[in-house]
Amino acid sequence: ARYSAAEEQVRISESLTGVSGELGELSLALGRAEEKTQRMLARASALDNLIEAGALEPTIISGDYIEVELQKLSSTDAVENELAALKANRSVGELPPPSTS
């Protein structure tokens, strides 16, 4: 009986002050934040598993954005140099030795 009376007192107080709605909204917001965190953790775990399995390779192993862009440029230059060598040797009729890189 005391519990029911106390419960009713809380409901009346919450209704009068508007706390009930705010607590409900807060509870929902916390629940959404928890769900979002769990989804992000699951996504990170899935990506880690794919990397470990070899299905994905990290694009940036070390360094920053500038280093990555410089690596892209140097690999592009290597491809262009090899293409130029192939074109030059095509006119001579011989193939260059295979690239080791």
Side-chain angles (χ1 to χ4, degrees):
R2 284 186 190 178
Y3 180 80
S4 295
E7 190 175 37
E8 195 60 34
Q9 177 100 23
V10 168
R11 273 192 234 149
I12 291 170
S13 296
E14 287 177 346
S15 294
L16 291 174
T17 60
V19 171
S20 175
E22 291 174 6
L23 289 177
E25 290 174 20
L26 178 61
S27 177
L28 289 174
L30 288 173
R32 286 191 301 267
E34 179 74 23
E35 290 172 8
K36 187 174 181 179
T37 301
Q38 291 299 323
R39 284 193 307 269
M40 191 59 68
L41 288 171
R43 185 176 177 184
S45 177
L47 287 170
D48 286 342
N49 288 338
L50 289 171
I51 290 170
E52 286 177 15
L56 292 178
E57 291 187 26
T59 56
I60 300 177
I61 297 171
S62 66
D64 60 5
Y65 176 77
I66 294 173
E67 288 180 31
V68 171
E69 291 302 312
L70 287 173
Q71 288 174 355
K72 286 180 186 177
L73 287 174
S74 64
S75 66
T76 300
D77 288 343
V79 169
E80 288 177 6
N81 290 339
E82 190 171 341
L83 180 60
L86 286 171
K87 286 179 179 179
N89 289 330
R90 182 177 69 179
S91 62
V92 175
E94 62 182 65
L95 293 174
S99 174
T100 57
S101 55

